[in-house]
């Protein structure tokens, strides 16, 4: 993880420094200042130093628990990540659950009805979802459900005109539905197709034929034997999709103007905000690593043989 953090931070830093965006120009906007004032601003943010010096200074501050201050928001990076991640976690969490439940259910239905019209319909639906860009789907959802039908708001994380203490959980959930459904699409197709194929392979195995010979009904076979054997691969794929979910949230949050970490990352990239962008990139690595670690723990719960094999190895 440490090696990955250093590699990601270094590559991100090189990409941002190589960007044609001038952080000083992005910071000033349309304000005209003298050359001396520009130099003072560059010196204040440490932009007058060489890229190597700036990266070494940033690494030194990281080891002290300081990610620096955002040029765009004029706040500590850790504070921005803490505030924005709460909103992103709600979005990604709901989308993650929706993609897992819907994808697994569609995969089981398709696998249990192999080569039927239902199976072909689910496969076609999943292939369409897999080929659909998140931002395009988000725009389509806005046009249909927010503009034409007016069932949901156009975006944001809360109603406009309300004070923070007046906003309820129902208001936040209402604003969360469209972006969460849009983001969940990134994982539904892969999980459904993977689960379908795994269930088909399981139903072809010898112990399933033996269960059929004993008179077990198809529904009992799928419930007792099929789901147990496809649960572990499904969990593997679901936790592996966390990185894709985090990447997709950047597009979804931008389309719906959702005030999350992905939106902040977009602003940081467009403004050349190196401290904030590096902070978000490093945090994303920790987030994905945590998801993979949780998957390893759940493996042992779902399949005790993995845990026993590890103990025998020791």
């Amino acid at each position: 993880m440490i090696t990955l953090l250093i590699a990601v931070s270094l590559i991100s830093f090189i990409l941002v420094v190589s960007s044609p965006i001038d952080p000083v120009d992005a910071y000033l906007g349309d304000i005209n200042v003298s050359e001396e004032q520009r130099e003072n601003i560059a010196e204040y943010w440490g932009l007058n130093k060489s890229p190597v010096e700036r990266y070494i200074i940033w690494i030194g501050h990281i080891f002290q628990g300081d990610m620096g201050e955002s040029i765009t928001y004029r706040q500590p990076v850790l504070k921005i990540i803490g505030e924005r991640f709460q909103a992103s976690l709600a979005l990604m969490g709901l989308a993650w659950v929706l993609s897992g439940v819907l994808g697994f259910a569609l995969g089981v239905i398709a696998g249990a009805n192999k080569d039927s019209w239902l199976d072909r319909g689910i496969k076609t639906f999943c292939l369409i979802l897999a080929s659909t860009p998140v931002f395009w789907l988000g725009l389509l959802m806005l046009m249909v459900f927010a503009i034409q039908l007016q069932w949901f708001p156009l975006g944001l994380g809360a109603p406009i005109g309300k004070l923070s203490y007046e906003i309820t959980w129902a208001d936040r959930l209402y604003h969360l539905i469209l972006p969460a459904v849009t983001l969940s699409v990134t994982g539904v197709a892969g999980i459904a197709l993977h689960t379908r194929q795994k269930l088909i392979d399981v139903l072809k195995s010898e112990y399933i034929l033996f269960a059929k010979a004993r008179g077990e009904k198809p529904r009992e076979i799928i419930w007792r034997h099929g789901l147990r054997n496809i649960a572990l691969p499904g969990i593997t794929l679901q936790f592996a999709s966390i990185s894709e979910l985090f990447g997709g949230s950047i597009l979804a949050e931008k389309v719906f103007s959702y005030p999350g970490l992905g939106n902040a990352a977009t602003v940081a990239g467009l403004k050349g905000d190196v401290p904030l962008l590096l902070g978000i990139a490093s945090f994303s690595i920790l987030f994905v690593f945590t998801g993979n670690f949780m998957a390893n723990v759940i493996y042992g719960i779902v399949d005790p043989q993995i845990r026993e094999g590890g103990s025998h190895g020791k």
Side-chain angles (χ1 to χ4, degrees):
M1 184 188 68
I2 294 175
T3 305
L4 190 60
L5 278 172
I6 295 174
V8 169
S9 65
L10 181 59
I11 293 173
S12 301
F13 182 82
I14 293 173
L15 290 174
V16 176
V17 171
S18 303
S19 170
I21 298 174
D22 187 346
V24 178
D25 289 338
Y27 175 75
L28 291 172
D30 297 329
I31 302 175
N32 294 321
V33 297
S34 64
E35 190 63 31
E36 183 180 355
Q37 289 175 312
R38 287 179 58 87
E39 292 176 359
N40 291 335
I41 293 173
E43 183 179 359
Y44 177 81
W45 293 110
L47 299 174
N48 58 335
K49 295 181 173 62
S50 67
V52 176
E53 289 179 289
R54 289 164 60 189
Y55 183 75
I56 292 175
I57 292 172
W58 181 80
I59 286 291
H61 288 166
I62 286 293
F63 284 116
Q64 298 175 9
D66 179 19
M67 286 189 170
E69 184 178 350
S70 169
I71 300 175
T72 306
Y73 296 98
R74 298 297 301 271
Q75 291 180 343
V77 171
L78 282 175
K79 181 181 179 182
I80 297 173
I81 291 177
E83 293 175 350
R84 294 298 187 105
F85 182 65
Q86 294 180 15
S88 291
L89 185 62
L91 173 61
M92 289 188 291
L94 182 57
W96 188 76
V97 172
L98 286 174
S99 66
V101 173
L102 184 59
F104 191 79
L106 290 176
V108 170
I109 294 172
N113 299 275
K114 182 177 179 294
D115 295 331
S116 66
W117 65 268
L118 192 59
D119 179 31
R120 291 193 294 270
I122 291 176
K123 285 195 297 182
T124 303
F125 176 69
C126 289
L127 291 174
I128 292 174
L129 288 183
S131 307
T132 304
V134 175
F135 71 90
W136 184 87
L137 181 63
L139 292 174
L140 185 63
M141 299 278 278
L142 281 175
M143 291 172 57
V144 176
F145 296 103
I147 297 177
Q148 294 183 1
L149 299 177
Q150 297 184 357
W151 290 355
F152 298 99
L154 281 171
L156 304 178
I160 299 176
K162 279 191 176 183
L163 299 176
S164 58
Y165 65 87
E166 296 176 336
I167 300 173
T168 63
W169 282 105
D171 292 331
R172 297 186 185 278
L173 181 61
Y174 182 53
H175 282 256
L176 193 63
I177 293 176
L178 272 188
V181 171
T182 300
L183 184 57
S184 68
V185 170
T186 59
V188 169
I191 295 173
L193 294 175
H194 181 81
T195 302
R196 171 190 176 275
Q197 189 58 48
K198 284 293 180 182
L199 183 59
I200 291 174
D201 294 340
V202 169
L203 294 178
K204 291 180 180 178
S205 59
E206 294 181 357
Y207 64 88
I208 295 297
L209 295 176
F210 178 72
K212 290 180 179 179
R214 289 190 305 177
E216 292 189 28
K217 297 180 180 179
R219 184 175 299 180
E220 294 178 351
I221 291 175
I222 294 174
W223 181 259
R224 292 181 181 179
H225 308 287
L227 296 184
R228 181 181 300 177
N229 287 278
I230 64 176
L232 186 59
I235 291 174
T236 305
L237 194 63
Q238 179 68 353
F239 277 91
S241 67
I242 288 180
S243 58
E244 298 178 4
L245 198 67
F246 194 93
S249 68
I250 297 178
L251 297 174
E253 290 180 9
K254 192 63 181 175
V255 170
F256 291 94
S257 300
Y258 190 79
L261 204 59
N263 207 337
T266 305
V267 173
L270 295 175
K271 296 286 187 179
D273 193 340
V274 177
L276 180 57
L277 196 59
L278 291 183
I280 293 175
S282 302
F283 181 79
S284 67
I285 294 300
L286 292 173
F287 181 73
V288 174
F289 177 84
T290 302
N292 293 334
F293 176 76
M294 291 173 61
N296 290 331
V297 173
I298 294 176
Y299 292 164
I301 298 174
V302 176
D303 190 352
Q305 292 181 353
I306 295 179
R307 185 172 62 251
E308 293 172 2
S311 63
H312 292 327
K314 293 179 181 178

